[in-house]
Amino acid sequence: MVCCPAMSPVSPVWPRKPKLWAFCVLLLVLLLSWKSWAVEHFQHCHWLVVLNNFDKVGSLPTKARFLDQEPIDTVTEVFQNLADLPIDPQEKYMSFPYYLKVSFSCMEQDDEELVRKSHLMGMRPLILISYRHPVNFYRWETENLQIQMEAAPLRTSGFCSAEVMCTLNWYAPMPIKNGSVVMSVDISSNGLGVFIPRERFYININGFLKKDTSGKTIFTMGYESSMVKSALFSRSKSRPLWYTVNHSPVLILGGIENEKVILLSDTNFQDYSLIELSIDSCWVGSYYCPMLQFSATIHDAISTESTLFIRQNQLVYYFTGRYTTLFDKSHSSSSWVRVLANECIKKLCPVFVSGNGSEYILALTTGKHEGYIHFGTITDGLVTFQMVPDGWSICDRIPENQTLSILYTLSRFIPEGHDLEFLVLDGTETYTNTLMIPKGLFFNTFNNMLYIWGNFILQSYNRLHFIYLADFPKDSTIKYMVNSYQGDMAFVTETDEIWYFLEGGYDVYRLVPSRGWSIFFNLQKMQQSSLYADQEFLVSIFYEDGELYQLVYLHATGNKRLVKRILPVAQVLLFEQNNPQILLKDGNRRMLAFSHMCPFKVMRLRDLPKTQHLSRQEIYHAPPPLVSESQGFHNNRTLAVYQGLIYYLLWLHSKYDKPYADPVHDPTWRWWEHKTQFKDYYFYLSSNWLAAEGMYIDMSSYKKLYNVSKEHGLPEIVFLDKGNSFSFTVFLSAHGDTSEFSANAVSGYQIDKNMAVAVAVADPECLEASVNQEVLINRKAVLYKITVKDKKVCYDQGLSGYNLKKTSLMVKVLGSSGRCFQTTYLGANMQGHLMVPVLIGCPPGKRLAFDITYTIMYSRDLNKHYFDCAMSNLEMPCFLYRDLFQPFFLIQDMVTGASGSFLGSYLLLVVGGGPTLDTIRDYTEEEIYHYNSPLDKTNSRIWTTKVETTTPDKKFYIMNYQSPGIEWLCLENSPCHDIIPQSIFAPDFFLKLLVSNRGVDTSTYCDYKLIFVLHIHGLPLSGKRSLFIVIVSSSLLLGLVVFYILFCLIWPHIVEAWASLRWKINNIMASDSYYTYATSNAGFSIHSQSGSEESSRAPSKAGSKEDNVARK
């Protein structure tokens, strides 16, 4: 860090004031004095994040609920008053309804003082918002979008004394994206100030809220209770938390005895609400559904992306929230809807993973329809149920054994597995006298493992052969289980014991109660943690981002509350571990030592692939504007500008998905297209305190990132296209000193034997894994280079992100399950086991675009000219009808930033058209065939080409980038034939083209489907209309010529006749005037005579003039 150089460059942040060196020295002393403090206390600090309304930013402590889902028009006036900043006042800038308020808290420390000191040291919270893609990929595009932001410091409004700074918090916009209702917010530090571990929060949209007439936020499905009584949890056992994994914005939990209430949370139980449901509860037993016992308890509760399901007694209800970002508000419910009214439902079962653009739920029946299952489908908030099997019951067909094939028959008794970790059930095993009581089953769609559990645990990889896990005691009965889909499972028994199981292994561990848990619990009590109490009740357990969490009600004096806390599996197992003692001989001495239970000393992952590319994440970077305030504080107006910039960035992202490709493959390119040349000017204004509102917008910092990778670890999920692969290296080092290891011939073999690695894929017919081993004898280590590749056989073709094949990769060091741990300052982590979900198919973020720039360039070279329309449109250039049209297309990767020519084969079809953009209509299948097929005999084809390759049925041409081009025909029965001109220019036509590689291109799993409009101008007229125009034009021209000739011939005669007529008329008028005056004025003879003389002279002169004319 360099403070106050002799000649410092201008800065948009720090003012140039005298005696600034003193501040720099004090800041340097503060940094050095705080370094040791931060290292010592970092583990006791954690982030705090709440939601604030837009109009309440900077005010007294408030907390908003995520209710509003539409952008608001509150920053337009601010942007209109900005000058000399790289923004376009003509564009529409809007804002989002909420801000994220960020702060932190440290144990036994003054939080406000720490926040102020950290700000002066340069701390800025870094925010990463991740949007979960929606379930219905038919309606919304599947994309994994992330935005990197930086929270801006803002002082709380109100009076503050000069000696003490106002209360400080950091704020950042909370952007909303169409189609996403689940959003995770990762908070981390920029490395300055107090060290605080990275933490993740879930800020989800709650569609079950509304505002009453007074503006108060209330729930739509019931009434919120402000008091949580301990009796609600003390008399209730733990129950499972059921929801659609990664897609449920609101989680609900029932099971509270004799109470019509549920626990509801939109933050993954970071906070919660107790809701009394507004359902009728009127249920009367019948002959087919006898009422054994009535209870107000909500027995089953399941949440999906937009809909909540509950079961009370044998009644099933659902409630669809108001999620305008997902579907029309007409799909929402105004009250609980009862379904399956004529059925007796004994159990609701969740389907944890969505598929085919929908979510699912199972309702198990009893009574008259025993053996049937009601299969529920939820699509865009609309719920439908279908009873399966259709027309027959499973209970009826099993005795017949005619149409059902029985995969496996459970034995009546539990097998004998004494002193065994597992037992393969092949029919030769012996059994105990304990009855086998099955309670449920679970199928993992990623690794194809089926589990059947009760007072036993059976697992199967092919649903034909089962393995009995003997570590689980037969005197315990499992109540429910949870799965992380990353290789971890947890079971809860009827007595609320928690057991842990690592998929791919055979060891089952009891976590609670256990010796390891007792040690960990006592340590937390010694540290006076507020998350633990002597008396507590387990409410539920669930996995979140691979970590196991407990939902526990603490029953302690002054601390009765429901808390969410992590269950550190690795730490508990580490405390549970007993290292066996051994005696080592050193000459005549004997030394006590402990043997290593873990087969390796260090495990590291090397040569990791780029995480962003494999996980298909689109990431934007958008920091706040730089301000010229002396201490770097923002105000409401600068934060409003930050809101508008984030909104415009998301708007550019959504607008970029268009058929015509931009010249530059970057959504932010158009933002600064005309402003980049003035970048230095804007910086000069800001550096000299001349910028509007005292802020500076760095155009280069608002960008899309294409090469982001994790420092360690594999991505949470991997996407593979056809034939794609990825690789990484596992480094394992052995225990002991290398000098103690002999360099004989079997050294490498000994290392290999002790540190063996197994690699398994869930679907070997889809994926292949290869392992290359390298033994480093001098380092007593082994390198395993693992490569995973798609076999090109397990997926046909689909649109980007559609119906991907689920599978997984598992890497395991043999003998490491539950024995290998890595201890860090953040706690202990398990090592030796990796499971990575893999999705095979067309990955998200790939698209086909019309390369208009190169197409025009090639057309100019091909046809030796290019003529655009008289009124050109930069977004949709025109092409001349008589020119050959050779289209080119781009494959654009929105994740990696790659943009290259599409070199595969494709079909090009005209699927719509019209004389204007407003009159374009879609053609029927029959019309599409006639307009595009070379087999058409109706004289209706619109275009043709010299390409000889066609589909197998000869119906359509198969084209590629080397095709000779398209020649426009517009035959007699085609819609573009004989277009009537609307002006003096030649007629034009808009063609709606479909380009697809489905069925004709085998190089990718992606079904690239592009529909775009092509503007053709200069269309010729039909022969009949042309002949008609020629005849009419010729007739008019001939008429004009004849008229001109006749006019020239008779014109002199007309002039002569006209002159004679005028002369006669004048003579008649003169004679009448003379006689009239002579008879009426006899007394005035002199005057009459003079008048007659003048009259007599006048006609003579006139006559002579006419005669001269006639002579001429």
Side-chain angles (χ1 to χ4, degrees), residues 296-312:
T297 307
I298 305 299
H299 298 285
D300 301 325
I302 303 174
S303 60
T304 64
E305 186 181 41
S306 60
T307 308
L308 306 180
F309 291 87
I310 62 171
R311 180 182 67 88
Q312 186 190 43

Side-chain angles (χ1 to χ4, degrees), residues 138-204:
Y138 295 107
R139 182 182 180 94
W140 301 99
E141 182 181 359
T142 301
E143 58 182 4
N144 301 319
L145 182 65
Q146 293 182 330
I147 298 181
Q148 291 182 356
M149 298 188 297
E150 182 181 304
L154 178 69
R155 287 174 290 196
T156 302
S157 59
F159 173 78
C160 304
S161 60
E163 293 81 8
V164 181
M165 188 184 297
C166 301
T167 302
L168 168 67
N169 291 287
W170 291 278
Y171 291 88
M174 182 60 208
I176 302 172
K177 176 182 172 295
N178 284 338
S180 295
V181 294
V182 177
M183 290 156 283
S184 63
V185 179
D186 292 335
I187 309 293
S188 60
S189 173
N190 62 348
L192 301 177
V194 181
F195 179 85
I196 309 174
R198 185 187 187 98
E199 198 166 351
R200 174 170 293 183
F201 300 85
Y202 280 90
I203 311 294
N204 303 329

Side-chain angles (χ1 to χ4, degrees), residues 22-48:
F23 175 78
C24 293
V25 173
L26 291 176
L27 180 60
L28 181 59
V29 173
L30 186 62
L31 286 172
L32 293 176
S33 63
W34 269 50
K35 181 178 180 181
S36 60
W37 183 96
V39 174
E40 182 181 356
H41 294 85
F42 67 86
Q43 67 269 27
H44 302 295
C45 299
H46 63 276
W47 293 105
L48 301 174

Side-chain angles (χ1 to χ4, degrees), residues 263-333:
L263 290 172
L264 183 144
S265 175
D266 53 19
T267 59
N268 281 25
F269 283 99
Q270 200 71 30
D271 54 24
Y272 65 93
S273 299
L274 187 66
I275 309 298
E276 182 180 354
L277 303 181
S278 54
I279 55 178
D280 49 21
S281 299
C282 295
W283 178 74
V284 180
S286 64
Y287 174 76
Y288 294 102
C289 191
M291 182 174 63
L292 300 179
Q293 184 179 2
F294 177 81
S295 173
T297 307
I298 305 299
H299 298 285
D300 301 325
I302 303 174
S303 60
T304 64
E305 186 181 41
S306 60
T307 308
L308 306 180
F309 291 87
I310 62 171
R311 180 182 67 88
Q312 186 190 43
N313 300 308
Q314 280 80 24
L315 307 181
V316 177
Y317 300 86
Y318 77 86
F319 196 106
T320 300
R322 189 185 67 89
Y323 287 100
T324 56
T325 60
L326 292 177
F327 44 74
D328 189 80
K329 60 182 180 182
S330 61
H331 295 185
S332 305
S333 302

